[in-house]
Amino acid sequence: MCSILPRSLKARVLFAFVLAATGSASAAEKPQLAKINGASPRNIVFILVDDQRYDAMSCMGHPFLKTPGADSIAENGVMFTNAYVTTSLCSPSRASMLTGLYAHTHRVVDNSTPVSDKLVFFGEYLQQANYETAFVGKWHMGYGHSKPRRGWDHWVSFLGQGSYFPRSEDGKQHYLNVDGEKVPQQKYITDELTDYSVDWLRSRPGDGKPWMLYLSHKAVHHDFSPAPRHLGRFDSVKIPATPSTKGTKLDSLRPMWARNMRNSWHGAEFPFHGTLGKTEDIYRRYCEAMLSVDESTVRVLDYLKQSGQFDSTLVIYMGDNGHMWGEHDLIDKRTAYEESARVPLLMQCPEIVPAGTKCDEIAANIDIAPTLIEAGGMVPPVYMHGRSLLPLAEGEQVEDWRDVLLYEYFWERWAPSTPTIHALIGKRYKYIRPYGLWDLAELYDLQDDPNELENLAYSPKHKAKALEMDEQLFEVLRETEGHSIPLLRGWKGRAKELRDPTASEWAPVPAPLLSE
């Protein structure tokens, strides 16, 4: 494991920050960051897409979805081919991007927990460097309000998940919060957020003051509603079959929780309890909703070209988490499997980033904050778990870059089929262990088995690797003060607990747990 700091110093810095962030001690003042000698702050656009997994782009070979906007960023910049989120869930992942911290430190461990007032967002650091900042879109860390948050000079958002359309089917009007004012939503949400974003870009005075736009899409989140102009576009498209161990010998090495999840709200046998149709049809709507997101990307890039800022502006495009669509006979995110945890990450800035390049180092959502801070001409704070991606994007060989990444997800009472999970993700091997269950650990060879079908954790040949990665996982948790599990309420009498009585029965005990 390549540490960012010497172990003792890192532990002291992180421990102090954790106490401040969780309110267990007096709040530490926001650090004044050192400036990088000779650095000129760059204008920045950060585009975040909800639930877009790594291969939902035509530049990744998608069989029918065309994404010329995302493709353009890849063609004019760098694609990080091993990009992951450290928690595959909206709010925890977004909080990690804002703070550069794992969820066990920032403590936004589900979609209901508001972000602590003690945490510092990258927008606040950019304001230190005289940036004008704008946040447009989904915030979603807690459902309490849509009021402007610190770190943003311009604010456009909505309560919770927001709505795709201005009015509900019952005629209820939906609203946006624009700089503290309640404003009726007028359009399909992706189009309206893009309007606000481009309008703000056009309003920049051109006085040399750097700016940063964070366009945070609602799409393509559940209920995966496309714009009317795209609805039905893929009705006749044949959806390829997804790999599965079901009905094979390999299934006896799948954890019980994963097999039981097949027949659940988040399982392909009973997707969303049948409320949105079959998995294949929901996936078609998901891809149709992606079309307006990509049109949004094209509009932002077109403005940069028209205004002469295309070459000098740093543009980052990312998904907040992935989404399974039948792989492992599951849907949704939350798990550590590739389709859930791996995301698109594209970056362009033609003045400094070589065009059409790829980087296979392990990148993550925790790297966004330090990357943007460095792009702002400042040295990222040492307490952050992530590191700036700019050297990699510029083509440098960073010798001490991470070789593994910690993944964590904490069980939610309302969605009980996915347990608390910790994983260690490397370039070749991935190790996954559930917490608090009498069940199997998992080890996958991502090079030889990219679909993660053969669990090697109990293979005599690979048992030592599983034990090694288990030990390494706990070393990372120890280094980052991640050895406590949050206890969440979050039920309120409602939970997605039902199973289809005509689908799979409860999973049998897996083979490695049976006495010979």
Side-chain angles (χ1 to χ4, degrees), residues 70-87:
D71 294 357
S72 173
I73 301 175
E75 291 166 4
N76 288 287
V78 60
M79 174 191 292
F80 288 87
T81 57
N82 283 310
Y84 293 88
V85 293
T86 51
T87 302

Side-chain angles (χ1 to χ4, degrees), residues 291-443:
L291 296 174
S292 63
V293 170
D294 199 72
E295 290 174 352
S296 169
T297 302
V298 170
R299 288 181 60 190
V300 172
L301 295 174
D302 281 350
Y303 171 75
L304 295 177
K305 293 175 183 176
Q306 294 162 11
S307 62
Q309 300 177 87
F310 185 82
D311 288 348
S312 61
T313 299
L314 175 65
V315 179
I316 301 177
Y317 180 102
M318 192 176 191
D320 70 342
N321 48 250
H323 204 288
M324 297 177 290
W325 289 108
E327 297 84 6
H328 313 284
D329 300 289
L330 306 177
I331 60 170
D332 191 61
K333 47 241 184 182
R334 291 175 169 83
T335 73
Y337 298 130
E338 289 288 281
E339 297 82 10
S340 167
R342 192 172 160 200
V343 293
L345 178 54
L346 310 171
M347 191 181 301
Q348 74 163 54
C349 184
E351 285 186 352
I352 59 172
V353 178
T357 56
K358 293 183 179 181
C359 178
D360 68 353
E361 297 288 1
I362 299 174
N365 52 350
I366 54 174
D367 299 326
I368 294 300
T371 299
L372 299 184
I373 289 168
E374 184 173 332
M378 296 172 287
V379 178
V382 296
Y383 67 76
M384 289 185 173
H385 297 137
R387 299 176 64 176
S388 173
L389 295 167
L390 283 182
L392 294 176
E394 294 172 7
E396 293 183 23
Q397 296 295 318
V398 181
E399 296 299 328
D400 64 343
W401 194 257
R402 69 172 67 92
D403 52 9
V404 290
L405 178 73
L406 173 68
Y407 177 89
E408 57 188 354
Y409 165 78
F410 300 101
W411 180 77
E412 301 165 273
R413 178 63 183 87
W414 85 269
S417 57
T418 310
T420 291
I421 290 172
H422 290 92
L424 201 65
I425 302 171
K427 284 187 179 180
R428 178 162 186 177
Y429 290 100
K430 181 190 295 182
Y431 175 74
I432 307 170
R433 69 186 301 273
Y435 179 83
L437 294 183
W438 186 11
D439 211 336
L440 300 183
E442 299 169 84
L443 177 71

Side-chain angles (χ1 to χ4, degrees), residues 456-481:
L456 301 173
Y458 301 89
S459 158
K461 181 180 177 181
H462 295 89
K463 187 174 182 179
K465 170 57 71 173
L467 292 174
E468 172 193 330
M469 295 190 76
D470 185 83
E471 183 175 346
Q472 196 175 14
L473 187 155
F474 277 89
E475 177 65 13
V476 177
L477 287 170
R478 191 194 67 78
E479 279 196 346
T480 60
E481 299 289 333

Side-chain angles (χ1 to χ4, degrees), residues 137-149:
K138 175 178 170 178
W139 182 259
H140 190 46
M141 279 155 280
Y143 290 92
H145 65 83
S146 60
K147 298 175 185 177
R149 266 64 166 196

Side-chain angles (χ1 to χ4, degrees), residues 51-334:
D51 284 1
Q52 184 180 5
R53 67 189 230 180
Y54 74 97
D55 59 355
M57 304 181 292
S58 42
C59 59
M60 283 296 292
H62 195 278
F64 58 86
L65 177 62
K66 303 302 179 186
T67 55
D71 294 357
S72 173
I73 301 175
E75 291 166 4
N76 288 287
V78 60
M79 174 191 292
F80 288 87
T81 57
N82 283 310
Y84 293 88
V85 293
T86 51
T87 302
S88 184
L89 188 62
C90 298
S91 291
S93 180
R94 290 164 183 256
S96 290
M97 294 175 191
L98 285 163
T99 65
L101 300 170
Y102 283 117
H104 65 249
T105 298
H106 63 59
R107 307 301 285 182
V108 181
V109 294
D110 63 6
N111 286 339
S112 300
T113 302
V115 66
S116 169
D117 291 338
K118 308 297 196 307
L119 293 168
V120 184
F121 305 143
F122 64 69
E124 296 178 87
Y125 287 124
L126 292 176
Q127 287 177 329
Q128 284 185 9
N130 200 37
Y131 270 77
E132 190 164 3
T133 59
F135 179 89
V136 180
K138 175 178 170 178
W139 182 259
H140 190 46
M141 279 155 280
Y143 290 92
H145 65 83
S146 60
K147 298 175 185 177
R149 266 64 166 196
R150 60 193 181 277
W152 311 105
D153 300 301
H154 179 52
W155 176 266
V156 181
S157 193
F158 40 76
L159 188 64
Q161 292 284 2
S163 174
Y164 278 106
F165 300 103
R167 291 183 181 273
S168 303
E169 291 183 358
D170 61 5
K172 177 184 176 182
Q173 174 69 53
H174 296 289
Y175 293 89
L176 304 177
N177 187 311
V178 181
D179 292 328
E181 298 294 324
K182 187 177 180 180
V183 177
Q185 183 178 335
Q186 301 289 337
K187 295 181 177 181
Y188 180 71
I189 191 63
T190 306
D191 298 339
E192 189 156 5
L193 296 179
T194 309
D195 288 349
Y196 276 106
S197 297
V198 174
D199 287 348
W200 184 79
L201 291 175
R202 292 187 188 283
S203 71
R204 297 307 87 228
D207 58 0
K209 185 175 183 178
W211 53 259
M212 188 275 168
L213 168 66
Y214 182 176
L215 173 52
S216 178
H217 285 291
K218 168 186 172 54
V220 288
H221 192 274
H222 178 282
D223 59 357
F224 319 105
S225 296
R229 63 185 178 274
H230 299 136
L231 180 61
R233 177 76 62 87
F234 300 133
D235 276 356
S236 61
V237 169
K238 182 176 175 58
I239 305 300
T242 53
S244 170
T245 60
K246 191 175 179 181
T248 73
K249 291 182 179 180
L250 293 176
D251 214 38
S252 65
L253 294 172
R254 304 296 292 188
M256 287 182 285
W257 70 261
R259 284 183 284 165
N260 286 326
M261 189 175 168
R262 294 167 178 169
N263 182 2
S264 76
W265 177 265
H266 288 149
E269 296 178 2
F270 198 23
F272 305 116
H273 290 173
T275 56
L276 297 180
K278 296 180 179 180
T279 299
E280 294 84 355
D281 293 326
I282 308 171
Y283 181 59
R284 290 185 177 95
R285 302 294 87 80
Y286 168 92
C287 291
E288 290 167 355
M290 274 299 311
L291 296 174
S292 63
V293 170
D294 199 72
E295 290 174 352
S296 169
T297 302
V298 170
R299 288 181 60 190
V300 172
L301 295 174
D302 281 350
Y303 171 75
L304 295 177
K305 293 175 183 176
Q306 294 162 11
S307 62
Q309 300 177 87
F310 185 82
D311 288 348
S312 61
T313 299
L314 175 65
V315 179
I316 301 177
Y317 180 102
M318 192 176 191
D320 70 342
N321 48 250
H323 204 288
M324 297 177 290
W325 289 108
E327 297 84 6
H328 313 284
D329 300 289
L330 306 177
I331 60 170
D332 191 61
K333 47 241 184 182
R334 291 175 169 83

